[in-house]
């Protein structure tokens, strides 16, 4: 028996025959109104039916193996999304150890290997265990998002962090780092939360263990800069002791305290004003500090975009 391409009627390749009825999404006979489960097992007995079904409903083929640790992280995410998308596609799980002929015919060289099949043909694929956020982005190219999609772990962590709930954000990012150790963005965000939780040494340890190209990129530099601001800024008592002073030193110290406290707009405005009034102060430290704050905020932050323009206008 051969696996037939439904578009052309030609065999994809030779496959060894195996007995057994095809399995595809079926409705529970005890609850006929229940939607069929979009998650199925793929094997030699039903692969042809799945290819045929792809003429009407896209099929995502998740090729995995029992010995593959990344597969174990990816599979629950794929199953969750398949049910969340509620029939927009069928998720077919293919154990390559049990179905080596199919894996060979489909060109599977390593796992996990995820293939989107529609109209009997390969539309797209990705290899490796991607985090949920990236898989959602991949799916969004081909399927409308579910009407009431739950927050992804990344979104939950970001929302918790924004609300000041560093404990929840910390727990989520620690789990994400554990699940996806090669996804270094999670480690950078973990360091960011640790810094906000006043665990600067732990945050710096995370940053120091990143690969050089990640450690030296803007997001990680920004986290390190935020830790440095907290160390360099004068205490509240020292700020109070400045009284009504409005000299360059006093203005700079107040700006540093504002940045360390997260009052970024006030701090940026104070640094820009100091730069206008006393460019030579401490060898142009106001401008240099502005650039460090941009790093801490990130290139796409609205304040970075706005104050980069103001800095450019002042310089040129």
């Amino acid at each position: 028996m051969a696996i037939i391409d439904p578009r052309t009627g030609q065999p994809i390749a030779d496959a060894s025959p195996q007995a057994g009825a095809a399995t595809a999404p079926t409705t529970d006979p005890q609850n006929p109104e229940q939607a069929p489960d979009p998650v199925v097992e793929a094997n030699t007995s039903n692969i042809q039916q799945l290819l045929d079904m792809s003429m009407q409903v896209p099929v995502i083929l998740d090729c995995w193996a029992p010995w593959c640790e990344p597969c174990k992280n990816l599979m629950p995410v794929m199953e969750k999304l398949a049910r969340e998308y509620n029939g927009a596609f069928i998720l077919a799980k293919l154990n390559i150890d049990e179905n080596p002929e199919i894996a060979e015919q489909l060109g599977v060289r390593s796992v996990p290997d995820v293939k989107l099949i529609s109209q009997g043909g390969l539309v797209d694929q990705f290899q490796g265990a991607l985090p949920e956020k990236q898989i959602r982005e991949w799916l969004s190219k081909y399927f409308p998002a579910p009407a009431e999609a739950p927050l992804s772990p990344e979104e939950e962590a970001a929302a918790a962090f924004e609300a000041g709930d560093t404990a929840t954000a910390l727990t989520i990012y620690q789990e994400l780092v554990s699940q996806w150790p090669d996804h270094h963005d999670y480690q950078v965000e973990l360091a960011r939360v640790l810094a906000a939780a006043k665990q600067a040494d732990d945050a710096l340890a995370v940053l120091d263990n990143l690969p050089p190209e990640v450690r030296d990129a803007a997001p990680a530099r920004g986290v390190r800069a935020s830790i440095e601001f907290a160390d360099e800024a004068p205490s509240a008592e020292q700020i109070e002791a400045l009284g009504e002073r409005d000299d360059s030193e006093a203005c700079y110290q107040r700006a540093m305290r504002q940045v360390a406290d997260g009052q970024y707009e006030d701090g940026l405005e104070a640094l820009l004003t100091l730069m206008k009034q006393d460019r030579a102060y401490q060898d142009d430290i106001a401008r240099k500090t502005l650039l460090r704050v941009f790093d801490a905020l990130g290139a796409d932050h609205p304040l970075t975009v706005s104050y980069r323009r103001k800095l450019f206008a002042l310089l040129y």
Side-chain angles (χ1 to χ4, degrees), residues 15 22 37 69 75 87 94 163 189 209-211 250 275 278 283:
D37 190 351
E69 289 300 321
M75 187 68 73
L94 179 72
E189 292 307 313
N209 285 325
L210 290 170
M275 187 179 164
D278 190 357
D283 192 24

Side-chain angles (χ1 to χ4, degrees), residues 83-95:
R83 295 186 172 105
E84 183 183 308
Y85 273 75
N86 195 28
F89 59 84
I90 297 168
L91 175 65
K93 303 183 294 183
L94 179 72
N95 183 334

Side-chain angles (χ1 to χ4, degrees), residues 153-154 156-174 176-177 185-204 206-207 219 222-224 226-227:
E154 296 91 339
E156 289 180 6
F161 185 58
E162 183 69 21
D165 184 1
T166 54
T168 296
L170 190 60
T171 298
I172 295 173
Y173 279 124
Q174 286 172 331
L176 289 171
V177 167
D185 287 352
Y186 291 147
Q187 295 173 53
V188 174
E189 292 307 313
L190 174 61
R192 191 185 309 280
V193 176
L194 286 168
K198 311 300 182 185
Q199 300 179 44
D201 288 344
D202 291 338
L204 289 172
V206 172
L207 295 175
V223 177
R224 194 178 296 274
S226 68
I227 295 171

Side-chain angles (χ1 to χ4, degrees), residues 219-246:
R221 288 203 320 268
V223 177
R224 194 178 296 274
S226 68
I227 295 171
E228 292 169 352
F229 284 132
D231 287 339
E232 296 170 18
S235 66
E237 292 77 12
Q238 290 172 312
I239 293 297
E240 185 176 357
L242 292 174
E244 300 298 321
R245 283 176 53 188
D246 61 355

Side-chain angles (χ1 to χ4, degrees), residues 13-274:
D14 291 335
S16 299
Q18 287 191 14
T23 58
T26 56
T27 302
D28 183 351
Q30 302 298 321
N31 186 5
E33 294 184 0
Q34 180 183 2
D37 190 351
V39 180
V40 301
E41 299 287 342
N43 50 53
T44 53
S45 69
N46 71 353
I47 187 66
Q48 186 59 59
Q49 181 179 354
L50 288 167
L51 286 174
D52 291 341
M53 290 176 66
S54 76
M55 301 297 290
Q56 284 77 42
V57 180
V59 174
I60 292 181
L61 192 65
D62 184 355
C63 304
W64 67 286
W67 43 263
C68 169
E69 289 300 321
C71 296
K72 296 175 184 177
N73 287 330
L74 179 65
M75 187 68 73
V77 177
M78 295 302 300
E79 292 180 354
K80 168 190 170 184
L81 292 173
R83 295 186 172 105
E84 183 183 308
Y85 273 75
N86 195 28
F89 59 84
I90 297 168
L91 175 65
K93 303 183 294 183
L94 179 72
N95 183 334
I96 66 167
D97 283 359
E98 295 179 354
N99 301 276
E101 303 94 342
I102 300 176
E104 182 178 357
Q105 292 174 63
L106 296 176
V108 177
R109 298 289 178 264
S110 63
V111 288
D113 186 333
V114 178
K115 301 177 184 294
L116 172 59
I117 300 171
S118 182
Q119 298 294 306
L122 179 64
V123 175
D124 200 355
Q125 62 184 335
F126 67 83
Q127 284 81 36
L130 298 183
E132 182 175 327
K133 181 180 178 182
Q134 291 188 20
I135 299 173
R136 287 182 182 276
E137 292 170 353
W138 183 73
L139 290 171
S140 71
K141 296 187 292 184
Y142 307 103
F143 307 100
E148 297 182 0
L151 293 178
S152 67
E154 296 91 339
E155 291 169 332
E156 289 180 6
F161 185 58
E162 183 69 21
D165 184 1
T166 54
T168 296
L170 190 60
T171 298
I172 295 173
Y173 279 124
Q174 286 172 331
E175 179 64 25
L176 289 171
V177 167
S178 175
Q179 287 185 323
W180 317 101
D182 295 330
H183 190 70
H184 301 300
D185 287 352
Y186 291 147
Q187 295 173 53
V188 174
E189 292 307 313
L190 174 61
R192 191 185 309 280
V193 176
L194 286 168
K198 311 300 182 185
Q199 300 179 44
D201 288 344
D202 291 338
L204 289 172
V206 172
L207 295 175
D208 289 342
N209 285 325
L210 290 170
E213 66 274 12
V214 181
R215 185 179 62 239
D216 298 335
R221 288 203 320 268
V223 177
R224 194 178 296 274
S226 68
I227 295 171
E228 292 169 352
F229 284 132
D231 287 339
E232 296 170 18
S235 66
E237 292 77 12
Q238 290 172 312
I239 293 297
E240 185 176 357
L242 292 174
E244 300 298 321
R245 283 176 53 188
D246 61 355
D247 57 279
S248 295
E249 175 66 16
C251 291
Y252 180 70
Q253 293 298 329
R254 291 191 186 97
M256 289 293 289
R257 185 68 259 168
Q258 289 169 326
V259 170
D261 289 341
Q263 301 171 22
Y264 293 113
E265 186 165 11
D266 291 339
L268 287 167
E269 191 63 37
L271 289 167
L272 194 68
T273 299
L274 175 58

